[in-house]
Amino acid sequence: MIKKRLLSWLLSGAVWLPGVAIADVDFDIKGLDDALMDNVSVYIDAIPENERRLNFRLQARVTDEIKKALQALGYYSPQINYTVEKQSDTDATVLLNIDPGQPVIISEVDIQLTGDAKKDPAFKTLLEGAPKKGEILNQGKYDALKSAIQSLAIRRGYFDADYTLTRLEVAPGLNQAFLRLHFSSGMRYHFGNVYYHNSQINEERLSSMLTFGEGEPYLVSDLGAFNQALANTGWFSSVLVEAGLNELRDDRVPISVSLEPAPRNQFETGVGYSTDVGPRVKIGWKKPWFNSRGHSLNTDLYVSSPKQTLESTYKIPLADVQREYYQVQVGLENVDNNDTKSLELTSSVSRHWKYDTGWQRSVYLRWLYSDYTQASVSDISNLILPGINFSRVRSRGGAMPTWGDKQSITFEMADPIWGSDINLYRVVGQTAWIRSLNQNNRFIYRAGGGGVFTDEFERVPPSLRFFAGGDNSIRGYSYESISPKDDQGKLEGGSYLATGSLEYNYRVSGNWWAALFADAGDAWTSSSPDWKTSVGVGVRWESPVGPISLDVAHGFENKDDNFMIHFSLGPEL
């Protein structure tokens, strides 16, 4: 045996040195196409470094690994030649010249389905991708098909399914292979009764979110969708929806829903900063479930130097819990910024719809009371504003999306007929788009605009007028510093608004990005707009809660500052 191995070694041209310890042995593989090369490389790379000694044992190990790698892709008769190209006391490079030989061809494919799966379209689709007669044998595809059939059966409710025959026969001398898979699915089970455990919410509310009905064919994806719908309500701290496979009856599988109520009171605090408003503090109190009907209450206090806001929202889900609900809101806001001083009280009732397309629609009626001073004019305004809003937000890629867009448009009006002090119509819209060329290049486009139409503009509250400038508007200008001015040079706010921004992001390293942008826009009243423009550069850090942005911008029409620094944290859509 030793003589044969030595002869093989001499004929191969190798210079293997039995027993000599060489710390680093590398391999140079020749003679294979890409797929075979990749697989052989994976197998050889798996040999530990401490076993790479230039001796007969390593040669045997390498030979074995190469054969296994090639057999997996249908090559059972390789010829392997070894040559030591470079060698020193500490390392060596071994040339592996490999002729894979003739491939093994599939001569017979015998796949049989019995039971209800035989007529199931999902199995028919799966088997369309099965190995075909005349193809080169690929053991990975055979194993993947075997697993896929069994996995599909479990996902579609064939709980009694099993293989009666699985066999892969290879005749290397004939270069032929024979695939045999006989699968008995048995009957397909259907959804049975749903049992809820430890729920503080009425079962009627929970069942309204069911994504399946009793008697429908079982699909594990329906359980996942129902699990996600329950989790999205915020009513529970944990949700587990599972099939009762130990309690199968006839053709029914019962569904168990185990729930853990969310804490009845939740408190949240947060601190932030942006150049628009300076330091900002948030204190939140949330009751995710107010009663057994699933009503909820959310109250937030925001405090910053120019603005303090207290807002409370009561949500009433309807029969379709996830898609339709009422909201009742009350709020108090105090503003002291630039030439604006106001104290506003507001309350509203709104009806909301969510659609499969991602769009949301809300119809509302709100009351707005404002005691304000804007520029040199002081007044008290009392408005009742019915309105409608359409919006949609889509994104992919986490807190700093690689793809996404946001659309929103709102129409509202006031009229003395229903108790408002003045007559006005108001429309506000915005759009934002994020697109990426690859993992390192992002483009962001934003545009916004609006108009308020009235014959008594001086009586329009500041919150309904338009101002531009700042972190999320036109960078290079201070927060809400762009608007028409009165004779004393004080900001009045505009009747119309139009802003736009184009930004390019480039990943420098890891979660760090560089940004280049240009902004433009104006807020104006009777005359045509006097466009304000700016350009700038910035840095983005992709944090778990969204991008943290630092920008330096130059406003070309900004007479107060040549450059402005903008800092912000939060979502881009």
Side-chain angles (χ1 to χ4, degrees):
M1 182 66 182
I2 294 176
K3 290 182 178 179
K4 289 183 178 180
R5 176 176 286 180
L6 181 59
L7 180 60
S8 174
W9 159 58
L10 291 172
L11 291 175
S12 68
V15 187
W16 297 85
L17 301 176
V20 176
I22 294 180
D24 187 9
V25 178
D26 294 323
F27 297 95
D28 185 10
I29 305 170
K30 303 290 185 181
L32 301 177
D33 63 19
D34 291 342
L36 296 178
M37 175 76 76
D38 291 343
N39 214 40
V40 169
S41 297
V42 169
Y43 275 72
I44 290 180
D45 289 345
I47 299 175
E49 292 292 335
N50 60 3
E51 295 183 15
R52 297 194 178 198
R53 299 171 181 269
L54 200 58
N55 54 29
F56 289 128
R57 179 177 297 177
L58 177 60
Q59 182 177 5
R61 174 73 183 273
V62 169
T63 300
D64 186 53
E65 296 298 330
I66 292 174
K67 287 182 177 180
K68 288 191 292 185
L70 295 177
Q71 286 175 8
L73 298 179
Y75 291 82
Y76 278 71
S77 305
Q79 297 293 321
I80 309 169
N81 293 317
Y82 304 83
T83 304
V84 178
E85 288 190 321
K86 300 177 182 178
Q87 180 179 327
S88 69
D89 292 339
T90 58
D91 58 60
T93 298
V94 177
L95 172 64
L96 300 175
N97 205 320
I98 305 171
D99 178 2
Q102 294 298 313
V104 171
I105 304 300
I106 299 174
S107 296
E108 183 179 350
V109 178
D110 177 20
I111 300 177
Q112 298 181 22
L113 295 180
T114 58
D116 290 352
K118 187 174 182 179
K119 299 180 180 179
D120 191 328
F123 282 88
K124 181 180 179 181
T125 300
L126 175 63
L127 294 181
E128 288 175 355
K132 303 292 191 300
K133 181 178 179 180
E135 293 181 355
I136 297 175
L137 172 64
N138 186 314
Q139 293 184 22
K141 290 183 178 180
Y142 167 79
D143 292 335
L145 176 64
K146 186 168 64 174
S147 298
I149 291 174
Q150 204 156 29
S151 175
L152 182 62
I154 294 173
R155 297 199 308 271
R156 295 181 68 82
Y158 297 91
F159 300 123
D160 300 326
D162 202 359
Y163 281 103
T164 59
L165 176 65
T166 62
R167 185 177 299 165
L168 173 59
E169 301 169 335
V170 179
L174 301 175
N175 291 325
Q176 292 181 339
F178 308 87
L179 277 64
R180 308 188 193 282
L181 292 175
H182 295 181
F183 189 73
S184 175
S185 71
M187 68 176 177
R188 184 179 185 183
Y189 284 83
H190 296 69
F191 287 112
N193 292 327
V194 179
Y195 299 95
Y196 299 98
H197 308 284
N198 199 35
S199 175
Q200 81 283 18
I201 306 298
N202 288 348
E203 292 186 5
E204 175 189 358
R205 284 289 191 203
L206 303 182
S207 296
S208 72
M209 291 181 282
L210 281 170
T211 53
F212 53 86
E214 183 179 355
E216 293 181 359
Y218 176 90
L219 273 175
V220 72
S221 58
D222 284 340
L223 293 189
F226 184 40
N227 197 108
Q228 188 62 51
L230 292 171
N232 288 342
T233 62
W235 295 335
F236 310 103
S237 60
S238 69
V239 177
L240 178 61
V241 180
E242 56 186 349
L245 301 183
N246 295 325
E247 302 174 8
L248 300 175
R249 295 290 185 274
D250 298 324
D251 69 338
R252 294 290 193 271
V253 53
I255 304 302
S256 173
V257 182
S258 301
L259 303 165
E260 187 66 34
R264 194 155 192 171
N265 293 283
Q266 300 176 7
F267 295 92
E268 178 185 32
T269 60
V271 178
Y273 179 87
S274 73
T275 47
D276 278 351
V277 299
R280 178 177 178 178
V281 176
K282 174 188 175 182
I283 301 174
W285 169 45
K286 184 177 182 180
K287 295 179 74 68
W289 54 280
F290 196 83
N291 52 33
S292 62
R293 299 291 293 170
H295 296 190
S296 60
L297 177 66
N298 191 26
T299 301
D300 291 308
L301 172 66
Y302 298 93
V303 178
S304 65
S305 178
K307 184 185 298 185
Q308 301 84 45
T309 302
L310 178 64
E311 184 178 75
S312 187
T313 303
Y314 190 83
K315 183 178 178 180
I316 306 170
L318 300 177
D320 191 344
V321 172
Q322 290 292 294
R323 298 171 179 268
E324 300 184 20
Y325 57 93
Y326 281 104
Q327 275 192 172
V328 179
Q329 289 182 305
V330 293
L332 171 66
E333 182 174 84
N334 180 66
V335 176
D336 186 355
N337 179 57
N338 292 335
D339 300 320
T340 302
K341 292 185 178 181
S342 71
L343 178 65
E344 291 190 345
L345 299 174
T346 182
S347 65
S348 67
V349 178
S350 55
R351 172 74 156 84
H352 297 256
W353 295 263
K354 296 182 179 180
Y355 302 100
D356 291 337
T357 59
W359 283 96
Q360 299 186 38
R361 172 169 61 100
S362 63
V363 177
Y364 61 86
L365 179 67
R366 68 168 176 148
W367 167 68
L368 175 64
Y369 172 88
S370 182
D371 184 352
Y372 66 90
T373 297
Q374 182 64 56
S376 303
V377 176
S378 298
D379 202 352
I380 294 177
S381 179
N382 189 66
L383 301 176
I384 297 175
L385 297 156
I388 186 170
N389 170 264
F390 298 92
S391 64
R392 183 182 68 180
V393 178
R394 303 181 296 175
S395 68
R396 296 195 297 262
M400 192 167 178
T402 57
W403 182 96
D405 55 68
K406 177 181 180 179
Q407 326 296 332
S408 177
I409 188 166
T410 301
F411 302 92
E412 57 186 2
M413 61 184 297
D415 197 295
I417 295 177
W418 51 73
S420 294
D421 289 344
I422 60 173
N423 183 305
L424 70 80
Y425 301 90
R426 189 170 184 266
V427 58
V428 180
Q430 61 175 323
T431 183
W433 299 77
I434 297 176
R435 294 294 186 266
S436 300
L437 289 179
N438 47 44
Q439 295 297 316
N440 298 322
N441 296 273
R442 299 170 77 236
F443 295 89
I444 304 173
Y445 169 72
R446 300 185 187 91
V452 56
F453 307 92
T454 179
D455 293 332
E456 301 178 84
F457 183 75
E458 69 280 357
R459 302 195 64 189
V460 175
S463 62
L464 300 185
R465 303 184 187 191
F466 295 106
F467 300 84
D471 300 342
N472 297 308
S473 180
I474 307 174
R475 286 162 287 191
Y477 301 83
S478 58
Y479 178 54
E480 294 189 347
S481 63
I482 299 174
S483 90
K485 298 180 180 180
D486 63 11
D487 295 339
Q488 300 179 28
K490 295 183 177 181
L491 301 173
E492 293 184 309
S495 298
Y496 311 103
L497 174 73
T499 62
S501 175
L502 184 61
E503 181 174 316
Y504 167 68
N505 295 165
Y506 176 75
R507 187 193 301 271
V508 178
S509 177
N511 292 334
W512 290 94
W513 298 73
L516 179 67
F517 58 85
D519 299 343
D522 192 25
W524 72 98
T525 302
S526 56
S527 60
S528 59
D530 180 15
W531 299 112
K532 311 298 188 298
T533 56
S534 68
V535 296
V537 296
V539 177
R540 309 282 181 267
W541 179 58
E542 188 176 348
S543 78
V545 295
I548 297 177
S549 302
L550 178 65
D551 293 325
V552 178
H554 171 62
F556 292 105
E557 292 77 26
N558 187 355
K559 299 178 181 178
D560 298 327
D561 296 284
N562 287 327
F563 292 92
M564 291 202 66
I565 296 176
H566 298 271
F567 176 82
S568 62
L569 183 156
E572 296 172 303
L573 294 176

